[in-house]
Amino acid sequence: MKNIVVLVSGSGTNLQRIIDTVENGEIQNAKVSLVVADRECYGLERAKSHHIENILIPRGKNFSAELGNVIPKDTNLIVLAGFLSILKPEFCKNWTGKIINIHPALLPKFGGKGMWGMHVHNAVIEAREKESGATVHFVTPGIDEGEAILQKSFEVTAEDTPETIAEKVHHIEYEIFPKAINKVLGNNS
């Protein structure tokens, strides 16, 4: 059984998708062993309701060090699911190839500092992009610079708004996140 640690900052809808797909076997031979939040958020409640160990580590200059102290050594994968804090380079290097993130755009476009949530979708509209989507990628010291594991796109139409793009992206995230986790864990799906 492989151990997944999930880091959250918000409502935890992608965390819930991960929990559900672990429970239904879509993500194979794995369990969510710990959920860590960097602020009070509903993601912690989701973890509690599934009897998953959970910890709140408030954001601050020692966040990465404190996080490093609570992540079990037998962790196979750290998943950033709507996690908004930037991890220190040393932390990323210590877990090279074992930290993934989902980004609400087709990286390398619309990535980097300040590119999260509706900021991304507004930028897509302003740039008059013909497509958008989501990317699951490895986490490296550079923000949103890690190698893509899985991407999926959709057409952006003239009628789309940042809100409709956000909704479309969320559906894609639900689809590709479990597949990317299986891929990184070496599962056959």
Side-chain angles (χ1 to χ4, degrees), residues 80-92:
L80 281 54
F83 184 69
L84 299 177
S85 288
I86 304 301
L87 297 168
K88 297 271 189 214
E90 313 82 66
F91 182 90
C92 295

Side-chain angles (χ1 to χ4, degrees), residues 167-187:
E167 190 175 320
K168 291 176 183 180
V169 164
H170 214 62
H171 286 290
I172 286 177
E173 289 176 341
Y174 279 10
E175 180 184 339
I176 69 173
F177 221 172
K179 291 177 182 175
I181 291 169
N182 271 325
K183 185 175 181 181
V184 174
L185 290 177
N187 295 332

Side-chain angles (χ1 to χ4, degrees), residues 6 17 28 47-48 53 58 71 101 110 119 125 127 170-171 184:
V6 182
R17 175 73 174 140
Q28 304 148 19
K48 289 173 189 165
E53 183 181 350
I71 292 183
N101 181 42
F110 307 106
H119 299 287
I125 294 284
H170 214 62
H171 286 290
V184 174

Side-chain angles (χ1 to χ4, degrees), residues 1 4 22 35 43 52 55 70 75 83 94 106 116 140 161 163 167 171 183 187:
M1 188 69 63
I4 300 171
V22 163
V35 172
I52 298 169
I55 300 171
V70 301
T75 297
F83 184 69
N94 287 341
L106 297 172
W116 55 275
T140 62
T161 64
E163 293 76 18
E167 190 175 320
H171 286 290
K183 185 175 181 181
N187 295 332

Side-chain angles (χ1 to χ4, degrees), residues 57 63-73 91 95:
I57 303 174
F63 179 83
S64 289
E66 291 178 42
L67 180 62
N69 291 333
V70 301
I71 292 183
K73 299 290 180 241
F91 182 90
W95 291 95

